[in-house]
Amino acid sequence: QAQLVESGGGLVQAGDSLRLSCVASGRTTTPYAMGWFRQAPGKERESVAAINWNGDRTYYADSVKGRFAMSRDGAKNTVYLQMNSLKVEDTAIYYCAGYQSYGLLTRDDYYGDWGQGTQVTVSS
């Protein structure tokens, strides 16, 4: 199993940007697909973005398309989520997830490895 550690969350104002990072260690041998999910208070966890094993395919939820960008650095075993034009409704705990797969995994039940989450709070 892999260990995933997120960082980069914080309190920002609407319109600001944040970049989340997720470092993977342990059993992360190629292929390793990764994703970002979020869960707001009182709501179910939802998929935000996903990236396939080599970074040439990405997926974004409609709610973040055009504002968020996911990327990965294989040499550092790290994925990033660049979040621009943040909105109050982006407030949530953001989780990084991973699974050994060549695919682009958009559902949380596809993933076996999860980080502890990082809080993102966007104020108006």
Side-chain angles (χ1 to χ4, degrees), residues 48-103:
V48 175
I51 194 164
N52 72 330
W53 72 284
N54 66 353
D56 66 355
R57 295 171 61 206
T58 53
Y59 158 83
Y60 299 99
D62 288 343
S63 59
V64 306
K65 206 171 290 183
R67 300 188 297 122
F68 290 12
M70 185 174 184
S71 60
R72 69 187 303 160
D73 184 334
K76 296 181 179 179
N77 276 347
T78 300
V79 292
Y80 304 96
L81 185 67
Q82 178 66 44
M83 307 187 293
N84 299 325
S85 302
L86 281 161
K87 303 177 180 179
V88 171
E89 51 264 41
D90 294 320
T91 296
I93 299 175
Y94 283 71
Y95 298 91
C96 172
Y99 189 66
Q100 289 193 300
S101 170
Y102 285 107

Side-chain angles (χ1 to χ4, degrees), residues 18-42:
L18 273 178
R19 189 177 80 156
L20 305 184
S21 300
C22 173
V23 180
S25 61
R27 199 174 72 180
T28 60
T29 53
T30 299
Y32 196 69
M34 299 191 74
W36 286 98
F37 292 79
R38 67 186 181 187
Q39 188 166 21

Side-chain angles (χ1 to χ4, degrees), residues 37 98-101 104-114:
F37 292 79
Y99 189 66
Q100 289 193 300
S101 170
L104 189 63
L105 309 180
T106 61
R107 287 172 42 176
D108 58 1
D109 55 353
Y110 289 153
Y111 289 94
D113 303 322
W114 290 87

